[in-house]
């Protein structure tokens, strides 16, 4: 009768890490035309980005079906386990809806489905916080209550290399994209209320990092149970530059760096970097 965690591949938890930490990860899919790949199972992050920049076909993404969740939910019911399931923002994906349908099909109450209103390192932070709470004796209900509170305190700051992929994904007009490309503008984005939004623009890496740190504020009043998290799409060097500047400004140590997978990478493109944290109460 254990408390276990289940999530989707937009958490960017690798199969190896999932096995080590006993986390069930249900993959979303990325499609290049007729070619379909399970995120981080049939295609690695690096393979995806290589295909993204060389393929003439712009990728689309697909959520898991209720049938993908049902066997995991039925197993939890048979074993009497409790499943805590934080998922990518419901405003970005139908993953949570599929899981909710599967829960109703299973007819088991000890499955807690949470709209994280986040993805990538934001979602990972909530999962890590949940595991920390479980390992320190919290009940399933206490964990769910704290995650529901913490998700509103997640802060993500990201810099993208180009406006091209936001445009291809239907999030920016052609005129804005062309102008931004000509001016060599790099968008600065965040996840707010579960949706991706542009919060500013910079020119060049140094300018973008400076602006991101200004937006983050003079101090990071973060939850001390977790480090600051960093993420990158293909270009680790860019993320390391962001990490160096952020660590220096806020005197940080112990941060984790994680590769961002295909589903979110399809929308933000290669050569993006992000950092995030959970604010303290």
């Amino acid at each position: 009768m254990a408390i276990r965690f289940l999530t989707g591949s937009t958490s960017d938890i690798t199969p190896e890490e999932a096995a080590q930490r006993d986390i069930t990860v249900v993959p979303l899919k990325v499609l290049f035309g007729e070619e379909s790949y399970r995120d981080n199972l049939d295609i690695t992050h690096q393979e995806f980005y290589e295909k993204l920049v060389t393929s003439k076909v712009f990728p689309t993404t697909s959520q898991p079906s209720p049938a993908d969740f049902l066997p995991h939910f039925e197993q939890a019911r048979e074993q009497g386990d409790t499943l805590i399931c934080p998922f990518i923002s419901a405003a970005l994906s139908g993953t949570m809806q599929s899981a909710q349908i599967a829960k109703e099909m299973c007819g088991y109450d000890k499955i807690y489905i949470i709209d994280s209103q986040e993805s990538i390192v934001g979602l990972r932070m909530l999962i890590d916080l949940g595991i920390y709470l479980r390992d320190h004796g919290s009940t399933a209900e206490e964990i769910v209550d704290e995650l529901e509170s913490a998700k509103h305190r997640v802060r993500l700051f990201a810099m993208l290399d180009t406006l091209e992929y936001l445009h291809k994904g239907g999030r920016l007009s052609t005129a804005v994209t062309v102008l931004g490309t000509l001016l060599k503008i790099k968008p600065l984005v965040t996840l707010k209320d579960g949706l991706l939004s542009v919060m500013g623009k910079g020119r060049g890496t140094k300018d973008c990092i400076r602006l991101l740190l200004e937006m983050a504020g003079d101090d990071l009043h973060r939850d001390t149970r977790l480090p600051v998290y960093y993420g990158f799409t293909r270009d680790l060097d860019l993320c390391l530059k962001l990490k160096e500047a952020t660590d220096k400004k806020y005197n940080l140590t112990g941060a984790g760096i994680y590769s961002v997978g295909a589903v979110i990478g399809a929308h933000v493109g290669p050569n993006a970097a992000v950092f995030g944290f959970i604010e303290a109460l």
Side-chain angles (χ1 to χ4, degrees):
M1 301 179 64
I3 298 173
R4 298 192 291 110
F5 287 82
L6 180 148
T7 188
S9 60
T10 49
S11 63
D12 296 325
I13 294 172
T14 66
E16 295 78 15
E17 184 181 3
Q20 292 170 359
R21 304 179 68 194
D22 194 24
I23 302 170
T24 300
V25 179
V26 178
L28 283 74
K29 294 179 181 178
V30 60
L31 301 91
F32 287 88
E34 298 298 320
E35 300 176 4
S36 176
Y37 303 91
R38 292 174 298 168
D39 184 20
N40 218 18
L41 289 177
D42 301 325
I43 189 168
T44 66
H45 293 185
Q46 188 63 32
E47 289 168 344
F48 165 74
Y49 288 112
E50 290 173 0
K51 196 170 184 65
L52 179 65
V53 298
T54 59
S55 176
K56 295 181 180 179
V57 179
F58 183 73
T60 57
T61 57
S62 175
Q63 70 204 39
S65 70
D68 293 321
F69 291 107
L70 190 56
H72 303 294
F73 290 176
E74 290 176 338
Q75 182 186 49
R77 182 187 62 197
E78 292 167 3
Q79 296 177 348
D81 291 343
T82 297
L83 277 184
I84 298 176
C85 309
F87 290 117
I88 181 176
S89 167
L92 297 177
S93 170
T95 299
M96 194 183 83
Q97 182 181 20
S98 290
Q100 188 65 51
I101 293 171
K103 177 182 175 179
E104 293 170 3
M105 295 168 64
C106 181
Y108 185 52
D109 290 337
K110 293 184 179 180
I111 299 172
Y112 296 90
I113 295 174
I114 300 172
D115 178 2
S116 73
Q117 298 187 349
E118 294 294 334
S119 188
I120 56 172
V121 295
L123 176 54
R124 175 187 280 269
M125 281 188 280
L126 292 173
I127 294 167
D128 286 354
L129 176 59
I131 291 174
Y132 173 92
L133 293 168
R134 180 198 63 190
D135 293 348
H136 284 75
S138 295
T139 67
E141 291 77 12
E142 289 169 342
I143 294 169
V144 171
D145 287 345
E146 182 145 4
L147 295 187
E148 288 286 357
S149 171
K151 73 183 188 183
H152 299 292
R153 306 195 308 275
V154 173
R155 299 291 177 263
L156 291 183
F157 302 89
M159 51 188 289
L160 311 186
D161 186 55
T162 174
L163 299 168
E164 176 186 359
Y165 295 92
L166 286 176
H167 169 58
K168 286 181 176 179
R171 298 183 180 274
L172 287 178
S173 69
T174 300
V176 170
T177 303
V178 171
L179 180 61
T181 302
L182 291 174
L183 296 176
K184 297 183 179 179
I185 288 174
K186 299 179 183 294
L188 310 176
V189 303
T190 188
L191 270 176
K192 185 176 182 180
D193 299 324
L195 291 170
L196 185 71
S197 61
V198 178
M199 59 181 179
K201 302 177 181 69
R203 294 188 183 182
T205 299
K206 289 184 179 180
D207 189 42
C208 286
I209 292 175
R210 177 184 62 79
L211 289 171
L212 280 184
L213 296 185
E214 284 184 3
M215 293 171 184
D218 293 331
D219 299 294
L220 295 188
H221 300 291
R222 62 179 179 83
D223 190 322
T224 55
R225 294 171 294 186
L226 297 174
V228 171
Y229 287 57
Y230 298 88
F232 66 97
T233 63
R234 191 176 72 163
D235 185 2
L236 178 59
D237 289 342
L238 178 63
C239 185
L240 290 175
K241 291 177 182 177
L242 174 61
K243 180 181 182 299
E244 180 181 9
T246 307
D247 288 355
K248 181 178 180 180
K249 177 175 180 178
Y250 301 114
N251 193 28
L252 301 174
T253 58
I257 303 177
Y258 306 100
S259 173
V260 174
V263 174
I264 299 302
H267 296 285
V268 301
N271 308 326
V274 57
F275 78 96
F277 59 96
I278 299 178
E279 288 185 338
L281 280 171

